[in-house]
Amino acid sequence: MKNTNKKSKESYSFLWLILVTAVILSVVYFTMRNDWANWAYPLDENRNGQLMKDFISMLGGLIVLAGLYISFIRSRAMDRNVQNNSEQLKIQGENLKIQTSQIEISRESIVNDQFKNAVEHLGDDKEPIILGGIAELNLLASNYPDKFASIVVNIYCNYIKSEAPEKKSDDDIKKNVIRSIIENLSKNKVFHPFEKNLQFTNLGCVDLSNFELNNFDLSYSILPYSLIDGKINNCEINRSKKSVVRMEHIKFSNCNMHLLFENGTISNCTFDQDCFVHFLILDTDFENVDFNNDIGRSEFYNCLFTNCNFMNSQYGFRYYCCSFEFTSFKGEFLSETFFFCSYFKNVEIESYLKGNDFTGGKLNHGYHGVYPFSIKVKESLINETDLSGINFSSNLVGQKTHETEYMMSEKIANHVVDMYNTRVDDFSQFKKTKHIEIPINWEKVDPH
């Protein structure tokens, strides 16, 4: 402030000097103009006029000088104002950064408190509070995916594992809570890239209809009793137990599946070509199912296939006492596949055949649904093999003559029943009700 006043005084001093100079010149001019005129212009008759012109020029020069100086002072003042404004803006910017940092710290603290409270809600005994905590975590992951998405996935999965372990009774599991978590993991896209590890869990009582599961690992778990209208993508379902009675309108893509399935129905489902599947399935109905993939060395016992399509090559499958109606095999080849004691009606085989076994095969004369295993084995034992229910592709005529289609023997019948009993034992929870005894009049022969 002092410097500004000092500069202002210096500016006015110069102007005063110019003014005083102008006044002195004027006084001198008017008091001594005749003498100066005679001295400056002795031979000029208009000497006073000439001197007046010189005086006016000098005053004009002083005025121009004063004007230039005033302009200079103004420009300096403007520069100082710009500099002052720039410094003020810089100070304001720094203050704004400090305020923004304080707001960010405050917001971060609020978000962390929200996260802490949401996690604490998961430990509450009351289901509505737990559901509130689940919703809070889902919202935080949506708003701050880089910070919370991965963490929330782990929290969700660990909660399900602790709340619904494989050996826990269905009645003791918070079904709505588990469903809410899986719904968030399925529908919120920020969770899709992360693997959801739900191994060794009991999801049997959880309704997962209308869901799309992405990157779930359900290995060694009990799957839901009902799966309807959904998609399962990039999932591991290794040695999972499908206690379900119904699977409808499900599309599997890029899944690795080793599935145990017993006493249910699978309808209007699709297994894409990029799935690797190994089935062990007993007493199950398949309807309108497309197997576009190679399903490995799968085993089917006492299953009914209606309007199904096997579109890829098959090698080493086992069909024991299965029924096939309006079903087609259209892979490049069908090799080393057993159709022991199976029934065929309107079946199309358009594959190159090699080393398959149709022993005990029969024309289906009216069986609709899954019938007792022992009945099918017994009928195959007492009747000759009949493959008239199969339409072999015309370009493969003659190939089927290399296939085994012998009449069923007691030795093979015993072996088939033993295989079934062994597989039933794999489903330990059904062992007592599903075990089949070989009739007394069948001679027990070592199948090997």
Side-chain angles (χ1 to χ4, degrees):
M1 189 70 176
K2 291 181 179 180
N3 291 335
T4 303
N5 292 335
K6 185 177 180 181
K7 291 178 181 178
S8 178
K9 289 180 180 180
E10 291 176 355
S11 301
Y12 285 117
S13 297
F14 186 77
L15 291 175
W16 276 111
L17 177 61
I18 293 175
L19 180 61
V20 169
T21 302
V23 171
I24 293 172
L25 284 175
S26 298
V27 171
V28 172
Y29 170 77
F30 286 107
T31 57
M32 300 179 66
R33 64 179 180 275
N34 291 327
D35 295 337
W36 279 17
N38 291 326
W39 175 76
Y41 303 101
L43 301 179
D44 192 342
E45 294 181 356
N46 191 25
R47 60 180 65 89
N48 288 331
Q50 292 293 335
L51 185 63
M52 176 64 74
K53 290 180 181 179
D54 295 339
F55 173 70
I56 292 173
S57 297
M58 292 176 67
L59 287 179
L62 290 174
I63 292 171
V64 171
L65 182 61
L68 291 174
Y69 184 73
I70 291 172
S71 298
F72 171 71
I73 295 302
R74 286 181 177 176
S75 66
R76 287 184 62 185
M78 292 178 64
D79 290 341
R80 285 195 298 270
N81 289 335
V82 170
Q83 184 177 0
N84 291 336
N85 291 336
S86 177
E87 291 177 355
Q88 290 177 358
L89 288 174
K90 184 177 180 180
I91 294 172
Q92 291 176 358
E94 291 176 353
N95 292 335
L96 183 60
K97 286 182 180 180
I98 294 173
Q99 292 175 358
T100 303
S101 177
Q102 291 174 343
I103 293 172
E104 183 66 22
I105 292 172
S106 176
R107 184 187 63 80
E108 190 79 12
S109 177
I110 293 173
V111 170
N112 290 335
D113 288 341
Q114 290 176 340
F115 178 76
K116 178 182 176 182
N117 292 335
V119 174
E120 289 177 350
H121 289 164
L122 295 185
D124 200 280
D125 293 332
K126 298 178 181 178
E127 189 169 296
I129 295 179
I130 299 174
L131 292 173
I134 292 170
E136 288 179 72
L137 289 174
N138 186 59
L139 182 61
L140 287 170
S142 299
N143 293 335
Y144 312 100
D146 293 338
K147 181 176 182 179
F148 288 118
S150 176
I151 297 173
V152 172
V153 168
N154 290 332
I155 291 173
Y156 278 165
C157 292
N158 288 330
Y159 182 89
I160 293 177
K161 285 184 174 183
S162 62
E163 171 59 28
E166 182 187 12
K167 295 182 180 180
K168 193 171 184 177
S169 171
D170 291 351
D171 296 333
D172 298 329
I173 294 175
K174 295 182 176 69
K175 307 173 185 62
N176 294 331
V177 172
I178 302 302
R179 174 182 166 81
S180 178
I181 291 176
I182 296 180
E183 182 176 10
N184 288 333
L185 290 173
S186 303
K187 295 184 177 181
N188 193 334
K189 292 184 179 180
V190 302
F191 298 138
H192 286 185
F194 303 100
E195 180 179 307
K196 297 88 179 174
N197 188 340
L198 298 181
Q199 293 184 7
F200 299 100
T201 55
N202 179 9
L203 305 178
C205 58
V206 181
D207 180 13
L208 295 185
S209 300
N210 301 302
F211 276 14
E212 181 172 347
L213 303 183
N214 292 281
N215 283 331
F216 278 76
D217 188 350
L218 303 173
S219 301
Y220 308 99
S221 298
I222 298 176
L223 302 186
Y225 301 131
S226 179
L227 278 175
I228 301 175
D229 294 325
K231 296 180 180 180
I232 300 179
N233 308 316
N234 304 310
C235 291
E236 290 283 336
I237 312 178
N238 187 23
R239 295 190 178 276
S240 299
K241 299 174 183 176
K242 190 78 166 95
S243 302
V244 197
V245 269
R246 244 182 8 160
M247 183 192 292
E248 298 179 5
H249 297 283
I250 303 294
K251 182 178 180 179
F252 295 89
S253 300
N254 195 27
C255 292
N256 183 20
M257 305 175 65
H258 187 144
L259 187 62
L260 307 179
F261 195 100
E262 199 268 353
N263 198 27
T265 61
I266 301 178
S267 61
N268 300 294
C269 294
T270 301
F271 296 88
D272 281 352
Q273 191 171 358
D274 52 9
C275 290
F276 178 79
V277 178
H278 186 131
F279 286 132
L280 175 55
I281 299 183
L282 281 70
D283 306 328
T284 295
D285 246 336
F286 292 83
E287 185 174 3
N288 297 319
V289 178
D290 291 329
F291 297 94
N292 297 315
N293 59 315
D294 185 351
I295 55 179
R297 290 180 173 271
S298 297
E299 298 180 17
F300 300 87
Y301 295 82
N302 200 32
C303 295
L304 170 63
F305 297 87
T306 306
N307 293 316
C308 294
N309 296 300
F310 295 85
M311 303 299 294
N312 214 317
S313 303
Q314 300 193 57
Y315 176 82
F317 291 7
R318 301 290 186 268
Y319 299 97
Y320 296 98
C321 294
C322 293
S323 296
F324 299 88
E325 299 180 358
F326 303 99
T327 293
S328 63
F329 296 83
K330 296 183 180 181
E332 183 179 352
F333 62 86
L334 184 64
S335 177
E336 303 297 332
T337 298
F338 294 170
F339 293 90
F340 285 142
C341 311
S342 293
Y343 290 70
F344 303 94
K345 181 179 181 180
N346 292 322
V347 173
E348 297 282 339
I349 297 183
E350 301 180 13
S351 303
Y352 180 84
L353 304 176
K354 182 179 180 181
N356 302 289
D357 196 332
F358 293 87
T359 298
K362 293 287 179 291
L363 173 66
N364 193 338
H365 289 289
Y367 284 119
H368 299 286
V370 178
Y371 279 81
F373 192 88
S374 57
I375 292 178
K376 292 182 177 179
V377 174
K378 186 175 181 180
E379 287 194 353
S380 296
L381 182 65
I382 62 178
N383 296 312
E384 293 184 358
T385 297
D386 180 3
L387 301 183
S388 60
I390 303 176
N391 178 29
F392 294 92
S393 177
S394 58
N395 63 334
L396 297 175
V397 173
Q399 295 294 338
K400 78 181 185 68
T401 57
H402 300 292
E403 309 308 307
T404 304
E405 45 185 275
Y406 303 131
M407 181 175 178
M408 195 72 165
S409 67
E410 291 182 356
K411 176 179 179 179
I412 296 178
N414 290 336
H415 175 58
V416 169
V417 172
D418 282 343
M419 288 290 294
Y420 181 79
N421 286 335
T422 299
R423 293 315 182 197
V424 169
D425 288 343
D426 292 336
F427 293 86
S428 58
Q429 64 269 39
F430 303 107
K431 182 177 179 179
K432 292 182 181 179
T433 57
K434 300 302 261 182
H435 195 81
I436 294 177
E437 296 295 336
I438 298 177
I440 299 176
N441 59 336
W442 291 6
E443 180 181 359
K444 180 76 173 180
V445 180
D446 183 359
H448 304 292

